[in-house]
Short mmCIF file of all heavy atoms in Angstrom, two decimals:
data_model
loop_
_atom_site.label_atom_id
_atom_site.label_comp_id
_atom_site.label_asym_id
_atom_site.label_seq_id
_atom_site.Cartn_x
_atom_site.Cartn_y
_atom_site.Cartn_z
N VAL A 17 -13.71 12.53 13.35
CA VAL A 17 -13.57 13.01 14.66
C VAL A 17 -14.04 14.49 14.71
O VAL A 17 -14.65 14.84 15.74
CB VAL A 17 -12.03 12.67 15.14
CG1 VAL A 17 -11.76 13.49 16.41
CG2 VAL A 17 -11.86 11.37 15.30
N ALA A 18 -13.55 15.30 13.87
CA ALA A 18 -13.95 16.67 13.78
C ALA A 18 -15.40 16.84 13.64
O ALA A 18 -16.09 17.77 14.27
CB ALA A 18 -13.29 17.39 12.60
N SER A 19 -16.18 16.01 12.85
CA SER A 19 -17.60 16.14 12.72
C SER A 19 -18.24 15.65 14.08
O SER A 19 -19.32 16.30 14.45
CB SER A 19 -18.14 15.32 11.49
OG SER A 19 -17.89 13.98 11.74
N ALA A 20 -17.74 14.68 14.69
CA ALA A 20 -18.33 14.27 16.00
C ALA A 20 -18.13 15.34 16.99
O ALA A 20 -19.16 15.72 17.81
CB ALA A 20 -17.67 13.02 16.49
N ALA A 21 -17.03 16.07 17.02
CA ALA A 21 -16.82 17.15 17.89
C ALA A 21 -17.83 18.31 17.61
O ALA A 21 -18.34 18.96 18.48
CB ALA A 21 -15.35 17.62 17.85
N ALA A 22 -17.93 18.50 16.40
CA ALA A 22 -18.89 19.71 15.92
C ALA A 22 -20.34 19.38 16.28
O ALA A 22 -21.02 20.21 16.84
CB ALA A 22 -18.67 19.90 14.36
N VAL A 23 -20.77 18.11 16.11
CA VAL A 23 -22.06 17.73 16.61
C VAL A 23 -22.23 17.85 18.08
O VAL A 23 -23.26 18.45 18.55
CB VAL A 23 -22.43 16.27 16.01
CG1 VAL A 23 -23.65 15.70 16.78
CG2 VAL A 23 -22.57 16.22 14.56
N LEU A 24 -21.29 17.49 18.81
CA LEU A 24 -21.35 17.60 20.31
C LEU A 24 -21.41 19.11 20.64
O LEU A 24 -22.18 19.46 21.52
CB LEU A 24 -20.16 16.93 20.93
CG LEU A 24 -20.20 16.82 22.39
CD1 LEU A 24 -21.50 16.16 22.88
CD2 LEU A 24 -18.96 16.09 22.94
N LEU A 25 -20.68 19.98 20.05
CA LEU A 25 -20.65 21.38 20.36
C LEU A 25 -21.96 21.96 19.99
O LEU A 25 -22.54 22.80 20.75
CB LEU A 25 -19.50 22.08 19.55
CG LEU A 25 -19.22 23.52 19.92
CD1 LEU A 25 -18.95 23.64 21.45
CD2 LEU A 25 -18.23 24.11 19.10
N VAL A 26 -22.57 21.57 18.90
CA VAL A 26 -23.88 22.08 18.53
C VAL A 26 -24.98 21.66 19.54
O VAL A 26 -25.79 22.43 19.99
CB VAL A 26 -24.30 21.56 17.17
CG1 VAL A 26 -25.77 21.80 16.84
CG2 VAL A 26 -23.47 22.16 16.08
N ARG A 27 -24.82 20.43 20.00
CA ARG A 27 -25.75 19.92 21.14
C ARG A 27 -25.56 20.85 22.35
O ARG A 27 -26.53 21.10 23.01
CB ARG A 27 -25.53 18.54 21.44
CG ARG A 27 -26.08 17.54 20.40
CD ARG A 27 -25.91 16.14 20.67
NE ARG A 27 -26.37 15.31 19.54
CZ ARG A 27 -26.32 14.06 19.58
NH1 ARG A 27 -25.76 13.33 20.68
NH2 ARG A 27 -26.78 13.30 18.68
N VAL A 28 -24.35 21.09 22.70
CA VAL A 28 -24.08 21.92 23.88
C VAL A 28 -24.72 23.35 23.69
O VAL A 28 -25.39 23.86 24.65
CB VAL A 28 -22.58 22.07 24.18
CG1 VAL A 28 -22.24 23.15 25.21
CG2 VAL A 28 -22.02 20.78 24.65
N PHE A 29 -24.58 23.91 22.48
CA PHE A 29 -25.19 25.14 22.34
C PHE A 29 -26.78 25.14 22.33
O PHE A 29 -27.39 26.03 22.94
CB PHE A 29 -24.79 25.80 20.97
CG PHE A 29 -23.45 26.53 21.10
CD1 PHE A 29 -22.30 26.00 20.52
CD2 PHE A 29 -23.33 27.69 21.78
CE1 PHE A 29 -21.03 26.68 20.62
CE2 PHE A 29 -22.21 28.39 21.81
CZ PHE A 29 -20.95 27.91 21.26
N ARG A 30 -27.25 24.04 21.84
CA ARG A 30 -28.80 23.97 21.99
C ARG A 30 -29.19 23.73 23.33
O ARG A 30 -30.27 24.30 23.78
CB ARG A 30 -29.24 22.77 21.10
CG ARG A 30 -29.12 22.99 19.61
CD ARG A 30 -29.78 21.83 18.87
NE ARG A 30 -29.64 22.10 17.36
CZ ARG A 30 -29.78 21.17 16.43
NH1 ARG A 30 -29.83 19.92 16.79
NH2 ARG A 30 -29.71 21.46 15.15
#
Side-chain angles (χ1 to χ4, degrees):
V17 170
S19 64
V23 166
L24 187 56
L25 188 60
V26 167
R27 286 184 181 176
V28 169
F29 276 110
R30 284 184 183 164

